[in-house]
Amino acid sequence: MSEQSLSEDEIRQRVREAMRRSQLQKAQEKKAEQRVEGTLLPILRSTSSSPDLAHFPHVPIVPGTLFASFAHVSMTSEGTIGMHHVVEDQLGERGVDELMAEATANLMAGLTAQIRGSEETPDRMVSLEREGYFAGSAVVAPDFHEWISGILEEEQLLIALPCPDQIYVTGASSYWSDQLAKMVLDSDYEPNPLTPTLLLSEGSGLELVVEQPVRTENA
């Protein structure tokens, strides 16, 4: 016995159901593709070397100058750093504040502080280190100033970011201040996405002191 023929309305209904199933499958596949491996971390970006922030969720660190975007970071089988940058299309229902909270917690969990100083140079300097790279992003932590100010017993802090993986902090008037400026200006780091930067922190926020001039092809 042959099946009863379908009416035009029934055919249209079946087509709509098939299209919905197809769209649902594609959405699930896209979500699976966006699920990336690695630790979510804040990534520093300077507008002088990485001005295009339109597609990256980001937070201002020094408005107009320095921002933090986000990336899932892991080590590849070749021993290099693998990065999957978070773009606007991947946010979903998550907000930037939620991303920042998770990324900062991940970063700070692997951070250690080393204190430098001697009898000849009683002023102290702190270097922050992280086995998983991007130690410089510690400046985004909301309690960064309070933490380092407590270690150095200084209210005005000078912060050198010669590259994303290095950060050095000292008192603004200490013996080390000139050395930190030299670290930034003489850095051989290729300035992308971070331009080597020197910052001043006084507890109320960060202020740009100087950036390494961005090199041009003809320079």
Side-chain angles (χ1 to χ4, degrees):
M1 176 181 280
S2 61
E3 293 186 2
Q4 184 177 359
S5 60
L6 299 174
S7 67
E8 289 185 7
D9 286 343
E10 289 172 326
I11 292 173
R12 291 193 187 96
Q13 179 63 26
R14 291 196 177 189
V15 169
R16 285 193 291 267
E17 290 174 356
M19 291 176 66
R20 279 197 295 268
R21 287 195 297 270
S22 176
Q23 291 171 348
L24 178 60
Q25 182 179 356
K26 288 179 180 179
Q28 291 173 338
E29 290 174 353
K30 184 176 181 180
K31 188 174 181 180
E33 289 174 359
Q34 293 177 345
R35 197 178 298 119
V36 295
E37 299 295 328
T39 303
L40 183 69
L41 296 175
I43 306 299
L44 295 178
R45 290 179 175 273
S46 302
T47 54
S48 56
S49 57
S50 180
D52 186 10
L53 290 165
H55 302 296
F56 298 102
H58 59 274
V59 175
I61 306 304
V62 180
T65 299
L66 187 65
F67 295 81
S69 62
F70 307 94
H72 294 273
V73 181
S74 61
M75 298 300 295
T76 69
S77 57
E78 291 79 21
T80 58
I81 304 174
M83 296 178 64
H84 296 275
H85 294 278
V86 177
V87 296
E88 290 285 353
D89 293 344
Q90 296 171 327
L91 271 182
E93 296 180 357
R94 302 188 72 188
V96 172
D97 290 343
E98 183 180 346
L99 279 181
M100 178 60 89
E102 178 184 341
T104 303
N106 291 340
L107 179 82
M108 300 303 286
L111 211 63
T112 59
Q114 303 293 328
I115 302 175
R116 305 187 185 190
S118 66
E119 293 182 359
E120 291 76 22
T121 56
D123 292 337
R124 292 181 296 173
M125 176 175 66
V126 170
S127 63
L128 301 182
E129 300 174 2
R130 186 177 184 277
E131 185 177 352
Y133 302 99
F134 298 104
S137 294
V139 295
V140 309
D143 59 350
F144 175 83
H145 181 90
E146 182 180 3
W147 174 35
I148 303 300
S149 178
I151 294 175
L152 293 174
E153 299 180 347
E154 296 275 1
E155 284 303 315
Q156 288 187 316
L157 303 178
L158 203 59
I159 304 165
L161 300 169
C163 75
D165 304 326
Q166 298 176 347
I167 176 171
Y168 301 91
V169 190
T170 192
S173 59
S174 82
Y175 163 86
W176 297 98
S177 58
D178 289 343
Q179 277 74 4
L180 264 60
K182 186 174 175 58
M183 283 182 192
V184 166
L185 296 175
D186 292 349
S187 172
D188 59 1
Y189 170 72
E190 187 65 31
N192 190 4
L194 174 70
T195 302
T197 299
L198 190 67
L199 302 171
L200 178 67
S201 175
E202 297 183 284
S204 58
L206 294 169
E207 178 183 337
L208 177 67
V209 178
V210 68
E211 283 185 330
Q212 183 185 82
V214 176
R215 292 168 292 220
T216 63
E217 293 182 1
N218 296 325

